[in-house]
Amino acid sequence: MSSTKVLVLCATGKAGRNVCKALKDAGFEVYGTTRSNAKKLSDQGITPVVCDYTSRKDLDRALLETGAKKLFVVTDYFAAAKSNGAIEISHGKSAIDAAKAAAVDHLIFMSVADAELMDERVKHIKTKVVIEDYLRASGVKYSILRPCAFFENFDDPANWNPLKKGRLKFLSDQEIKYCATYDIGRAAAIMFKDPAKWLEKSLDVISWKGDLSQVASALEKVGGVKVKSGLAMPLFLRKLFLKDLHYMFLYFEDQKGPKGEPEDFKTFLPDAFTAEDWFRYHGSYSNGERIARA
Ligand SMILES: NC(=O)c1ccc[n+]([C@@H]2O[C@H](COP(=O)([O-])OP(=O)(O)OC[C@H]3O[C@@H](n4cnc5c(N)ncnc54)[C@H](OP(=O)(O)O)[C@@H]3O)[C@@H](O)[C@H]2O)c1
């Protein structure tokens, strides 16, 4: 039945892989785009669609081949758009245009919580405001999910932050609001299953908050090993070399953003992940060693 098919863009990424898993767990027939990691997806029970999501021609083909009328859109500022906001916006618009041409009956766009409230220098997030506006005016039936910081950032070897036993590093040690990308997928499943309730609606995905020492305590509880935590780099280097992320963290740290609270999201997903839940779910350190004691 075409109505149970979902096509997920960027399906091998930090968000996409767990969105695929959650949608599959919720009973959907899940297709995921990847340029070259088809096996990674098929090993997960996801049907790979080998294509480049940044190409409109490829997107048209992916929608036609799968027959999916539900589309989960992720855009990637840093790698796919080469840290160029105009390019990321063009990728988002192209996905929306492709959905319109294929008569998709529900598109969910993964944006970012409080995108409109952040400093203009947070370029990778301000792009989301433009894509959301384009989507609202497009005529495509849509919902928007607005996640906060991913727990997945604690194990992100591609960005020089692999999770190691006994150590936890991050770009901020202050209280931050987090979510698991699996819960973005669980929220997407809720929306896809009840379009009457969710079309034209947005939902912030925020499931837990805590400072770095509290994240470390959660890892200690799950792993049974003492964890030393600290900043991945001094703040002056964060400001100097990661300006975009620096101003995003200042919004989190100084303004306690995003405004939503875990309790709000939990009215829709009561068992949304805490930090401990996430370490259990994630399961292993970057080198493959299991986190939880046997
Ligand atoms: N990190 C956070 O805390 C956070 C929080 C809220 C929102 N977000 C948003 O999440 C989005 C990024 O998602 P993510 O972290 O899941 O991304 P990611 O892990 O970096 O994955 C992005 C995907 O894009 C594909 N890709 C990479 N380079 C490409 C290229 N040159 N051309 C075409 N495709 C390419 C890759 O798929 P293949 O190689 O398989 O093709 C990859 O799986 C961003 O918009 C960000 O603003 C992040």
Side-chain angles (χ1 to χ4, degrees), residues 10-17 33-37 51-54 74-82 88 110-112 124-125 128 147-151 153 159:
C10 292
T12 58
K14 285 193 290 295
R17 62 180 180 245
T33 69
T34 177
R35 290 165 302 163
S36 57
N37 279 316
C51 84
D52 182 338
Y53 89 97
T54 69
V74 174
T75 52
D76 173 21
Y77 173 86
F78 289 105
K82 302 177 176 55
E88 189 196 2
M110 191 187 80
S111 181
V112 175
H124 74 293
I125 291 184
K128 308 311 194 267
C148 58
F150 300 163
F151 283 126
N153 296 316
N159 289 307

Side-chain angles (χ1 to χ4, degrees), residues 7 16 73 76-77 88 106 143 156 159 181 213 227 251 261 270 276 288:
L7 178 65
V73 174
D76 173 21
Y77 173 86
E88 189 196 2
H106 196 168
S143 309
D156 190 4
N159 289 307
T181 57
S213 70
V227 176
Y251 179 68
E261 292 292 339
E276 273 185 56

